[in-house]
Amino acid sequence: LDYNFEKVDEYFSFFTLRIHITKKELNVGRFFIEGAHDRPEIELNPIENKFLIKGRSISENAYDFYQPVIDWLDDYIKSPNALTVFEFKFEHLNTHSTQQIMKVLQRLKKLSQGSKTKIKWFYYKDDNDMLELGNRLKELLDVELSFIEEEH
């Protein structure tokens, strides 16, 4: 932003105002991991506004599996979409994975402090364990979760 006054005569002046606008570019691209029997499918796609982790997460090395996701979120937080809707659709989580999902939720909580963020926790109608886990995580991390019941 810059401005300038130019005097024409004793009665008139010109005022010039220049505004430079820089388009904010996305710093992060699509992140995708195909699901398998012990790991969930993960799609983090800011262009299509799709943020999803779904399936079984029972890997014994959950730290190594989720670290790229956490790194991606750390970058995304710097330049997020106007609205981020993040969905969790787990069939099962082991203890190692739950610890890493807590880290993901901490990043989403941080994201929600600077931009509009909705976090959805899906569970099957007859899966009380997954509903209870979502409630425990919500309370432990003081994060806003919406619970959505699904049929099998």
Side-chain angles (χ1 to χ4, degrees):
L1 176 68
D2 63 53
Y3 60 92
N4 188 23
F5 287 99
E6 295 180 36
K7 188 173 183 176
V8 175
D9 61 26
E10 63 184 86
Y11 300 106
F12 295 100
S13 294
F14 283 105
F15 176 72
T16 306
L17 176 66
R18 290 187 191 129
I19 301 172
H20 303 277
I21 299 173
T22 305
K23 185 176 178 184
K24 187 175 174 183
E25 304 226 358
L26 287 175
N27 294 330
V28 292
R30 179 177 184 248
F31 181 91
F32 180 78
I33 297 176
E34 189 166 338
H37 74 283
D38 65 342
R39 68 173 191 237
E41 175 182 312
I42 300 177
E43 181 162 6
L44 307 174
N45 190 337
I47 293 171
E48 292 182 13
N49 210 16
K50 184 174 183 179
F51 305 90
L52 172 68
I53 301 178
K54 73 174 185 176
R56 295 168 50 97
S57 188
I58 56 174
S59 172
E60 290 303 314
N61 201 352
Y63 176 85
D64 287 341
F65 178 75
Y66 281 101
Q67 192 57 49
V69 174
I70 292 164
D71 292 342
W72 187 94
L73 284 169
D74 286 338
D75 288 340
Y76 177 73
I77 288 169
K78 297 172 188 171
S79 180
N81 291 353
L83 169 66
T84 301
V85 179
F86 206 102
E87 298 180 345
F88 294 95
K89 296 183 176 186
F90 288 111
E91 294 171 22
H92 184 73
L93 276 170
N94 67 6
T95 304
H96 300 288
S97 295
T98 300
Q99 292 169 345
Q100 300 311 307
I101 293 303
M102 287 178 72
K103 292 179 184 177
V104 170
L105 286 168
Q106 287 171 332
R107 292 334 190 261
L108 295 176
K109 181 178 178 179
K110 181 178 178 183
L111 175 65
S112 72
Q113 294 167 350
S115 69
K116 190 165 182 173
T117 306
K118 294 182 181 178
I119 307 169
K120 297 180 179 181
W121 186 272
F122 291 80
Y123 65 96
Y124 290 121
K125 185 176 183 177
D126 60 348
D127 190 354
N128 288 331
D129 291 339
M130 197 54 60
L131 175 59
E132 287 177 24
L133 176 60
N135 275 311
R136 277 197 318 260
L137 293 172
K138 178 181 179 175
E139 290 174 18
L140 280 171
L141 300 170
D142 191 30
V143 66
E144 195 61 42
L145 290 179
S146 298
F147 295 97
I148 300 167
E149 183 179 279
E150 290 188 309
E151 297 288 332
H152 273 286

